[in-house]
Amino acid sequence: MTTVRATAPGRVNLIGEHTDYNGGLCLPIAIPLGTTATVTRRDDEAVHVTSDRAPEGSAWRQYVDGVVAELRTLGWAVPGLDIEVTSTLPLGGGLSSSAALECAVATAVAGLLGHELDSHLRRVLAEVARRAETLHVGAPTGGMDQLASMLGWPDHALLLDFADLERPGVTPVPCRPGAAGVVLLVTDTGVRHRLADGDGGYAQRRRECEAGDPRRWRHVRSENERVRAAAAAMEAGAWGRVGELMVASHVSLRDDFEVSCRELDLTVEAALAAGALGSRMTGGGFGGCTITVTHEGRVDAVRDGIDAAYEAAGLPRPVHHEVAPAEGARLT
Ligand code: GLA
């Protein structure tokens, strides 16, 4: 075969933030938005990347090069490639557009070389993607995003346990908001962050955790307990309890871990004021998205309440996406 196409999803973390690189727990879902990579074998050694997102897409080059380099480190004979990338994910918006890109390219190349995409290979490719981002792009991410993108499953969240960083535990937990008359609403604040910025907040928080900062660790410990409780509540369909835990997570991220920002706080407060069951920032923070859980009947009120709060604050209108657990990376 000379041309193979693969799609990999972005993710939303329901709860468990800044825990992955601290040996803790998180609970992401893969979402229906994603990135598609079409790879065609070339006769020479060159790797060419084109995308529908130029000029932003030019930043994608380093992720692609990182994935190809890491696949070659595995011993794979990756040939020269033409890679065409398209995406429905907002870039740098907190929905793991970078993990989706890495996983789409890795999955497509695996397909081109005839490897079977079984659960073992999915884990290997998640690690390839994480290493590409950490070693080649310089974004010291923890591994949650790449595992969610490779292993995501409809009607399930993934309880990820990073106690063994070499081999994270992956437990699918039933996640059927629709069956309980509940909606998961992602709101993109429009504020962009860059995880690869060495002086940025994400890398700084990692350093503070490594140094044993007690307040940062108070967040990590309490967050791990909330993840356990939320996984149990979600499996039981107790979305009101999940919502309470999400709010407690947001408060801890805002006050103890200090990775929220004005727009994230405003979104969470407006969602709760409009009757949502729970809401929190999701992802690394300093911008990006919130995740809100609300009864179906209130979703319009919640959306309108958030929009009105942005308007009153003089902020550009945010973008909302209703999401549900989706399938991980696949050939398409
Ligand atoms: C980013 C990183 C993840 C994780 C989250 C915070 O999304 O890529 O590995 O650390 O931030 O939970």
Side-chain angles (χ1 to χ4, degrees):
M1 217 179 297
T2 56
T3 296
V4 170
R5 193 170 62 187
T7 299
R11 66 94 189 90
V12 167
N13 189 19
L14 299 179
I15 194 162
E17 224 63 82
H18 289 274
T19 45
D20 57 356
Y21 58 84
N22 286 311
L25 303 169
C26 55
L27 192 65
I29 59 170
I31 59 173
L33 304 173
T35 297
T36 297
T38 306
V39 304
T40 303
R41 188 187 288 271
R42 288 174 62 95
D43 292 334
D44 59 17
E45 290 294 296
V47 175
H48 284 275
V49 184
T50 52
S51 81
D52 63 338
R53 293 288 187 92
E56 300 162 281
S58 59
W60 289 0
R61 178 76 219 198
Q62 52 183 338
Y63 295 92
V64 172
D65 286 345
V67 168
V68 169
E70 285 301 319
L71 289 174
R72 288 184 173 146
T73 303
L74 285 184
W76 288 18
V78 180
L81 300 167
D82 285 325
I83 305 181
E84 201 187 307
V85 179
T86 60
S87 185
T88 54
L89 282 165
L91 296 192
L95 300 178
S96 291
S97 52
S98 52
L101 170 62
E102 294 148 12
C103 293
V105 171
T107 301
V109 174
L112 190 74
L113 297 182
H115 294 284
E116 196 199 333
L117 193 61
D118 57 13
S119 59
H120 171 72
L121 184 60
R122 285 177 180 275
R123 273 173 166 271
V124 170
L125 296 184
E127 181 59 11
V128 160
R130 191 195 65 78
R131 288 174 61 88
E133 187 145 354
T134 299
L135 302 177
H136 299 266
V137 181
T141 65
M144 160 173 72
D145 308 342
Q146 295 82 5
L147 281 167
S149 186
M150 286 308 309
L151 296 169
W153 203 245
D155 292 332
H156 290 79
L158 299 177
L159 177 60
L160 303 180
D161 182 347
F162 289 87
D164 179 355
L165 287 172
E166 299 288 305
R167 192 161 173 80
V170 182
T171 310
V173 180
C175 173
R176 294 194 181 86
V182 155
V183 169
L184 299 176
L185 183 73
V186 169
T187 302
D188 186 348
T189 62
V191 180
R192 293 293 176 254
H193 64 265
R194 232 178 94 70
L195 296 182
D197 182 354
D199 298 324
Y202 186 87
Q204 191 190 333
R205 290 298 177 279
R206 284 199 70 146
R207 287 195 296 270
E208 289 165 355
C209 290
E210 277 158 28
D213 183 304
R215 201 147 53 100
R216 306 299 186 224
W217 274 98
R218 185 166 67 182
H219 162 71
V220 173
R221 286 201 195 89
S222 63
E223 186 79 346
N224 284 332
E225 282 167 30
R226 284 186 289 270
V227 174
R228 277 190 206 290
M234 191 177 68
E235 187 160 9
W239 286 94
R241 177 70 184 136
V242 175
E244 287 169 15
L245 291 159
M246 286 168 64
V247 174
S249 167
H250 185 78
V251 169
S252 178
L253 286 157
R254 184 191 66 197
D255 297 346
D256 278 352
F257 216 72
E258 296 179 289
V259 289
S260 189
C261 67
R262 169 180 174 234
E263 292 81 358
L264 288 167
D265 292 342
L266 181 89
T267 312
V268 167
E269 280 154 28
L272 296 176
L277 296 171
S279 185
R280 60 183 287 279
M281 55 156 276
T282 183
F286 307 106
C289 294
T290 60
I291 171 85
T292 298
V293 50
T294 179
H295 283 302
E296 255 161 31
R298 290 217 67 79
V299 67
D300 289 340
V302 167
R303 227 190 255 119
D304 292 349
I306 295 171
D307 290 353
Y310 273 62
E311 196 176 345
L315 295 168
R317 203 188 176 100
V319 178
H320 305 280
H321 309 272
E322 283 185 28
V323 298
E327 195 183 344
R330 62 205 173 272
L331 297 178
T332 45

